[in-house]
Amino acid sequence: MAFRIRQLDPSPDAPFPPVEDALREPDGLLAMGGDLSPARLLNAYRHGIFPWYSRGQPILWWSPDPRMVFRTDGVRLSSRFRRDLKSSTWEIRADTVFDEVVAACAQTPRRGQRGTWITAEMQAAYRELHRLGHAHSVEVFEGARLVGGIYGVAVGRMFFGESMFSAVSGGSKAALAGLARGLQSWGWALIDAQVESEHLLSLGAEAWSRPVFMAELRSRVSQPPREGAWTQAFGTIPARLLAGPPASPPQI
């Protein structure tokens, strides 16, 4: 690398550099090294930082500016997709097949990418976070078949989306919309979507400046969390409900 970034202290409890120190190019690169222990990962998310690196690289930590964010009442589905959902038999659940969702996200080809950043090390780290009740998946089923999903990390009342996949066209959109609907019903207002892309913008994501994002983040991660697996509290959402009006929106 032609630039110098902070090397993290070996202790999992060591603080991260301030996010304001992140590079402008590449946008958001803040630090390198450390590990993917639960303590370090949760500390990272709590401060608006996430790991993102490829096989063969050191662990890289990021906090981009602007930051992509979904309001839970702001996920946009096209009119055509909503029409399809009205007759859909899909059902949406949470935390029933977390490992399968993560594996599917790692294996799904991405336009413009070779390989995956969801390495075996990353998968193991998020499985451990899930076991501890911090990482969650939302899954879309057609009968017993998994057709889409999304996973991420919850800290306080903030959800940090990591990745989503479709095995059938529209599966990831239904997972995202189902996640947003479920969080909205709990009074959670935001989903972090990390890095800007045209696809996320088309689904209703907004680009927030770092100061705005961090102010909202600090407020929400300090709120009481929802403990344990989400399966029972989330319940089962028939995908056809996503074609209708959303639940009452939380206030931001």
Side-chain angles (χ1 to χ4, degrees), residues 41-64:
L41 283 170
L42 293 173
N43 187 33
Y45 286 109
R46 194 172 287 113
H47 290 90
I49 302 161
F50 58 88
W52 186 26
Y53 64 103
S54 299
R55 186 177 291 108
Q57 292 181 324
I59 300 173
L60 302 176
W61 302 89
W62 303 77
S63 184

Side-chain angles (χ1 to χ4, degrees), residues 27 29 36 50-54 57-62 64 113 117-118 122 162 194-195:
D27 178 32
L29 182 55
L36 297 176
F50 58 88
W52 186 26
Y53 64 103
S54 299
Q57 292 181 324
I59 300 173
L60 302 176
W61 302 89
W62 303 77
Q113 295 184 18
W117 58 269
I118 309 174
M122 289 279 276
E162 275 295 315
Q194 299 183 345
V195 180

Side-chain angles (χ1 to χ4, degrees), residues 2-26:
F3 44 79
R4 297 175 65 88
I5 57 172
R6 189 82 58 89
Q7 178 77 40
L8 293 182
D9 187 279
S11 171
D13 298 316
F16 282 87
V19 294
E20 292 77 14
D21 291 352
L23 297 178
R24 297 304 307 173
E25 184 59 41

Side-chain angles (χ1 to χ4, degrees), residues 19-21 29 36 75 92 100 123-124 128 140 149 158 172 180 188 203 228 234:
V19 294
E20 292 77 14
D21 291 352
L29 182 55
L36 297 176
V75 174
I92 303 169
E100 287 88 336
Q123 293 181 56
E128 178 64 8
V140 184
M158 183 77 183
S172 62
W188 295 31
L203 292 171
F234 191 91

Side-chain angles (χ1 to χ4, degrees), residues 190 208-218:
L190 299 176
W208 286 14
S209 69
R210 179 180 289 131
V212 171
F213 174 76
M214 292 301 297
E216 290 289 343
L217 174 71
R218 293 185 188 104

